[in-house]
Every structure is written in structure tokens, then in C-alpha cells.
Amino acid sequence: MKFQWVTFAVLAAALSMPSHAKSNSGFGLGLAYDLGVGVTAQFRGTSVFVNSDALALDVRIHNFSNDLGTVHAYIDAGGFYEDGGRYRDNDQAGVRLPVGLSFGIAPSLQAYVQAVPNFAFSDNENKEGFGVDGALGVRLRF
């Protein structure tokens, strides 16, 4: 029991150190609502979202930040795939251009919100075309 408390205390101290956020590895892992609820990961400028029915991959095009470096506006470009379920003609694949804001909640915790204009390709004409989605999530930075 004592070992668990010591481990928890060391982990909490390491995650809450102010210098930790500046010297992190550039890797983040968290939960998001993008193409449904799923897991998000980010390594430097590349973001991945995955759940049981969808996959999205985005690469950072440009990053803007405030003087303190606590809030970032960004533009990404990427692609996505969504499984249509039982009917294969409801599957979608497409391109997307997420535009968003990310900000630090705590030294190692980042939140983001983004608008996601996209163009979907599908065998089902009703599922094809231009659309705008949204996403929000949190990531623990390592």
C-alpha cells in the first residue's frame, strides 16, 4: 500500500512540474469527439484520431501562438475514413482541413476545439460532398 502512494506522489509531481510542459517529447494521448468518440494521439505536428468506425490523420500546416505560448491557433490538412456499417455504399473517405485552437489546462494537459471542413467521397450520392464537422478533445502531454 505504501509503495502505491509513493508511486502516485512521484507521478503527480512529475506531471505537474512547470518545466515538464516545455521539455516534453512532443507526444500526446487523449480522448476526443471527432468522427464520434474515440482516442486521439499527436506526435509533434501529426494528429491521429481512431474509433471502431473511423480513422483520421492530419498534419500541421501552420501554427500561430500568443506571446506566452499558452494558446495556439492552427491549420491542419489530412484525410479520413468512416465505415458505413452493414452497407458498403455508406462508407466514406475524404480530405479535411481542420482549423482550431489548443490551450493548456495544466502543465501536461492540453485541450483543443476545431472546425473541420471536409469533402467526402462515397458510392452513396447522399453521403458524398462538402461538409463541416467539429471536434473537441483533451490530451495528456508526455
Side-chain angles (χ1 to χ4, degrees):
M1 182 72 167
K2 185 176 181 181
F3 179 73
Q4 289 176 343
W5 281 106
V6 171
T7 304
F8 178 76
V10 170
L11 183 61
L15 291 176
S16 64
M17 290 172 31
S19 62
H20 182 73
K22 293 181 181 174
S23 64
N24 66 34
S25 67
F27 179 73
L29 185 65
L31 296 174
Y33 182 84
D34 192 336
L35 300 166
V37 176
V39 176
T40 180
Q42 184 178 50
F43 182 69
R44 306 221 169 123
T46 303
S47 300
V48 176
F49 171 83
V50 65
N51 67 18
S52 62
D53 299 323
L55 171 70
L57 176 70
D58 301 315
V59 177
R60 183 73 26 101
I61 295 176
H62 199 67
N63 196 32
F64 310 92
S65 53
N66 65 354
D67 292 338
L68 299 174
T70 55
V71 178
H72 301 278
Y74 58 86
I75 302 171
D76 291 351
F80 71 94
Y81 171 78
E82 281 188 278
D83 184 16
R86 285 183 16 193
Y87 305 104
R88 290 202 180 272
D89 63 345
N90 286 338
D91 293 353
Q92 293 180 352
V95 294
R96 52 193 251 148
L97 190 70
V99 176
L101 291 172
S102 66
F103 47 93
I105 297 174
S108 296
L109 191 62
Q110 173 192 49
Y112 69 92
V113 60
Q114 60 189 21
V116 187
N118 61 70
F119 190 87
F121 303 97
S122 177
D123 289 338
N124 183 341
E125 289 181 17
N126 295 327
K127 298 277 186 176
E128 188 170 275
F130 179 77
V132 178
D133 295 324
L136 57 106
V138 293
R139 290 189 192 106
L140 184 60
R141 306 299 293 180
F142 297 98

